[in-house]
Amino acid sequence: MLEWYCADFSLFDMMEQCEDLIRAVAHGLGKDETLSYQGRIIRLEKPWSRSMVSETFLRHAAIPVEEALSSGRFDEIMGLDIEPELGHGAPVFLYDYPASQGSLARVDPGNPGCVLRFELYIGGMELCNAFSELTDPEEQRLRFEKELAIRGRLRKTTYPMPEKFLNALRFMPEAAGCAMGIDRLAMLFTDAKTIDEVTAFTPETL
């Protein structure tokens, strides 16, 4: 996993940086503007597509995102119905995630029901997860307290409040952060069908 942060970056700045990084890898490998993965051609010309989560549910799921959330099926539908359909002809950024799906991300000031988070999909795989960092320690504390209360009601293990982390947020500038799956990137550029083909060892060998 490659993880990095950029001060004073917006979420859309981070999208552009992801585009440039992956295109630079492609050009370095002689792939130019196209990538062949599992028998499909993926075009890498900028700008890459952007799609809101709510719109994507309407296109690929049997129920809208609101119903998926209320029924506890959001992750199930994302994993089984939506993710496999994304990023085949060209990469796509999925953004405007529901607020409940981004506990460390800033709320979108223009759409308070969503957080400033995106995931990048190429060839039906999630390649990146990124968001505008929540740097308000008081708001972050309230989110942690809410999560701990839920875990307590469900009789799940609860954990101490991460005071060092919350204190560090006071000194963090506005920033966007991104985590990229290097193993999945290797899959794309080697046309590997499974992640086991590009890792030094599989979990079964441990």
Side-chain angles (χ1 to χ4, degrees):
M1 183 72 70
L2 173 65
E3 187 169 338
W4 73 97
Y5 301 83
C6 293
D8 300 320
F9 254 42
S10 72
L11 198 67
F12 293 98
D13 292 332
M14 184 59 75
M15 287 182 184
E16 290 190 28
Q17 191 170 73
C18 287
E19 290 175 342
D20 292 339
L21 175 58
I22 294 172
R23 281 166 50 84
V25 173
H27 292 164
L29 294 173
K31 301 292 185 180
D32 296 323
E33 298 296 332
T34 61
L35 172 67
S36 176
Y37 182 67
Q38 297 299 298
R40 298 189 183 188
I41 298 298
I42 300 170
R43 305 199 64 84
L44 300 177
E45 296 99 331
K46 294 175 63 176
W48 293 354
S49 298
R50 279 104 165 116
S51 179
M52 293 189 294
V53 170
S54 57
E55 295 174 344
T56 306
F57 262 77
L58 292 176
R59 282 196 296 270
H60 297 292
I63 59 176
V65 65
E66 295 82 5
E67 186 176 342
L69 289 167
S70 63
S71 63
R73 297 183 60 206
F74 181 87
D75 290 336
E76 171 197 341
I77 293 171
M78 279 291 299
L80 297 179
D81 298 334
I82 294 178
E83 292 182 358
E85 302 300 321
L86 300 178
H88 289 293
V92 59
F93 291 103
L94 199 59
Y95 73 105
D96 263 3
Y97 275 76
S100 62
Q101 304 302 306
S103 62
L104 299 176
R106 289 175 53 211
V107 170
D108 184 348
N111 186 2
C114 295
V115 288
L116 295 170
R117 173 190 175 191
F118 75 72
E119 290 183 342
L120 171 62
Y121 289 88
I122 305 179
M125 290 191 295
E126 176 199 337
L127 199 66
C128 297
N129 181 32
F131 46 83
S132 291
E133 303 290 332
L134 176 59
T135 57
D136 181 341
E138 298 309 318
E139 181 179 348
Q140 188 65 77
R141 181 183 295 276
L142 290 173
R143 293 189 189 183
F144 284 155
E145 289 174 346
K146 181 178 179 180
E147 180 64 25
L148 287 172
I150 292 172
R151 293 184 66 87
R153 288 197 299 271
L154 296 175
R155 299 184 182 276
K156 293 184 177 181
T157 302
T158 57
Y159 302 96
M161 192 66 66
E163 296 295 346
K164 289 184 178 180
F165 170 73
L166 292 170
N167 185 60
L169 287 182
R170 302 179 188 279
F171 307 99
M172 184 174 180
E174 297 293 324
C178 183
M180 177 182 291
I182 296 300
D183 43 10
R184 296 185 182 189
L185 188 65
M187 286 177 63
L188 286 171
F189 285 113
T190 60
D191 198 23
K193 187 174 183 179
T194 68
I195 203 166
D196 289 352
E197 298 174 54
V198 297
T199 54
F201 52 84
T202 65
E204 291 76 17
T205 63
L206 294 178

